[in-house]
Amino acid sequence: MAETNEGSPAAAAELTGIAAVTGIAGLTEADRAEALALLRAVTEADGVSPVSESGRLALMHGRAEESHVIRREAGKLVGYLYLGPPDEDQNRAAELCVAPPARRRGIGRSLIEAALAGTAGALRVWAHGSLPGAEQFAARLGFAAIRELRLMEAPLTGGSASVLTAPQPPEGVEISTFRPGEDEDAWLALNARAFAHHPEQGSWTLDDLAEREAEPWFDPAGFFLARSAEGLIGFHWTKVHPAGAYGPDRVGEIYVLGVDPQAGHRGLGRLLALVGLQHLAQSGLGNVILYVDGDNTAAVRLYQSLGFGNRAVDTMYERRGVKA
Ligand SMILES: CC(C)(COP(=O)(O)OP(=O)(O)OC[C@H]1O[C@@H](n2cnc3c(N)ncnc32)[C@H](O)[C@@H]1OP(=O)(O)O)[C@@H](O)C(=O)NCCC(=O)NCCS
């Protein structure tokens, strides 16, 4: 049985310069703008974003039961932590960063203490890019690595010509693209079936989908659906990142690829992957990335067979609720 820290992150508010709030309504417009600016500055300095897409969307649109912790020094926002909603075991996942000039002064530790105060179960922390500083910070604060998310990449031109030709779909399967306003419910049901055991992806709601559809990068022409007489059985949602996000040029992404477990093992995952990669190549992209759980052996093998290699690893650390 884990030790717990009852209460809200506001319990840590007595720490100097720390403000911990539940819901974005507790943040001012200036807080949010400065937190987003801090994320941009840290991304530039470290070469990797300290917060995932869902953390950034939460800061922009809010999430039920989320918390945000900010740390100011001389009025300037120098630290930010996003604390996601509790899961059924009361565990919560955080992402945090400290402005590079303000590091090694205990600010990261104070953000973690505030998050521990608001977490009844285990506190989990993502270290995107597994930077050496993050690794040592996590170890110093008593966290242990529990999960790895691999960032894989492949060239779309030159290196892996095999990815450029998608085969014909099997008899009775049709490939089309996502129709906004029509396919949402069927896609959410399929996504929940395909990612039933995935801690984040399988629980997407209509709001999660609508937020992505409203993002400037959303393009239904790159969101492929496989349909049979039974309805939707698979999908491949691609994304295009602007120059600067993953290197000097625009980069494509296998954003989410999923197949109905009932329709699995018939080559549909490979087919859908190839359809999307072909689309990205035809859009003039030279490189494609994807994120996959390190222990998802089936997916890792599929991607390796398509020419993907490891580029970086995100590590999730966990600490049971005892004070840092
Ligand atoms: C990781 C990060 C949040 C640490 O913030 P910070 O305010 O510099 O950390 P603290 O000053 O509270 O450090 C607490 C302890 O962690 C360890 N630590 C932190 N950064 C370290 C580094 N770069 N190298 C070695 N040890 C480090 C030290 O033991 C430190 O105590 P000390 O300074 O008394 O020796 C910050 O470097 C950062 O924003 N990194 C980029 C985002 C990121 O990786 N986030 C995921 C964190 S798991």
Side-chain angles (χ1 to χ4, degrees), residues 42 46 48-50 95-100 102-112 125-128 130-138 140-141 315 317:
V42 169
D46 293 337
V48 55
S49 172
E95 295 176 301
L96 80 150
C97 64
V98 173
R103 288 182 185 169
R104 300 303 294 270
R105 298 213 303 262
I107 295 171
R109 181 191 288 272
S110 68
L111 294 170
I112 291 286
V125 182
W126 275 114
H128 298 287
S130 307
L131 304 170
E135 213 172 290
Q136 301 201 35
F137 172 77
R140 182 76 182 82
L141 271 61
T315 307
Y317 291 94

Side-chain angles (χ1 to χ4, degrees), residues 1-6 89-92 112-113 115-124 141-143 318-324:
M1 177 79 189
E3 288 183 60
T4 60
N5 282 304
E6 305 294 348
D89 298 320
Q90 300 305 310
N91 305 317
R92 302 183 77 174
I112 291 286
E113 279 174 2
L116 280 166
T119 307
L123 177 64
R124 295 171 177 162
L141 271 61
F143 284 78
E318 178 181 278
R319 177 173 168 159
R320 297 265 148 201
V322 282
K323 288 276 177 209

Side-chain angles (χ1 to χ4, degrees), residues 4 20-21 47 63 101 117 130-131 189 216 222-223 236 239 245 267 277 290 295 299 310:
T4 60
V21 300
R63 283 277 181 286
S130 307
L131 304 170
F223 190 166
H236 180 183
K239 177 174 177 177
L277 290 171
L290 63 88
D295 64 1
N310 293 344

Side-chain angles (χ1 to χ4, degrees), residues 152-167 236 238 253-254 257 267-278 280 286-290 292 297-310:
M152 302 183 83
E153 73 179 336
L156 276 175
T157 45
S160 31
S162 64
V163 303
L164 301 182
T165 317
H236 180 183
T238 66
E253 179 179 0
I254 296 185
L257 173 70
L268 201 52
R270 175 179 295 273
L271 172 89
L272 281 161
L274 288 168
V275 167
L277 290 171
Q278 192 174 17
L280 292 171
N287 268 299
V288 62
I289 57 144
L290 63 88
V292 61
T297 324
V300 169
R301 285 218 183 107
L302 167 64
Y303 298 136
Q304 284 171 335
S305 77
L306 292 169
F308 283 83
N310 293 344

Side-chain angles (χ1 to χ4, degrees), residues 11-88:
E14 69 270 13
L15 291 164
T16 334
I18 280 268
V21 300
T22 298
I24 44 168
L27 297 174
T28 63
E29 275 302 311
D31 290 336
R32 287 162 65 187
E34 279 184 74
L36 287 166
L38 175 67
L39 299 185
R40 283 193 296 274
V42 169
T43 304
E44 197 160 309
D46 293 337
V48 55
S49 172
V51 166
S52 61
E53 178 192 61
S54 61
R56 188 179 56 82
L57 287 172
L59 190 53
M60 290 164 69
H61 305 289
R63 283 277 181 286
E65 299 185 87
E66 71 195 334
S67 303
H68 304 266
V69 185
I70 57 174
R71 171 87 186 246
R72 289 188 177 279
E73 268 187 359
K76 202 170 159 10
L77 195 148
V78 290
Y80 171 73
L81 179 144
Y82 169 69
L83 186 58
D87 67 13
E88 66 265 25

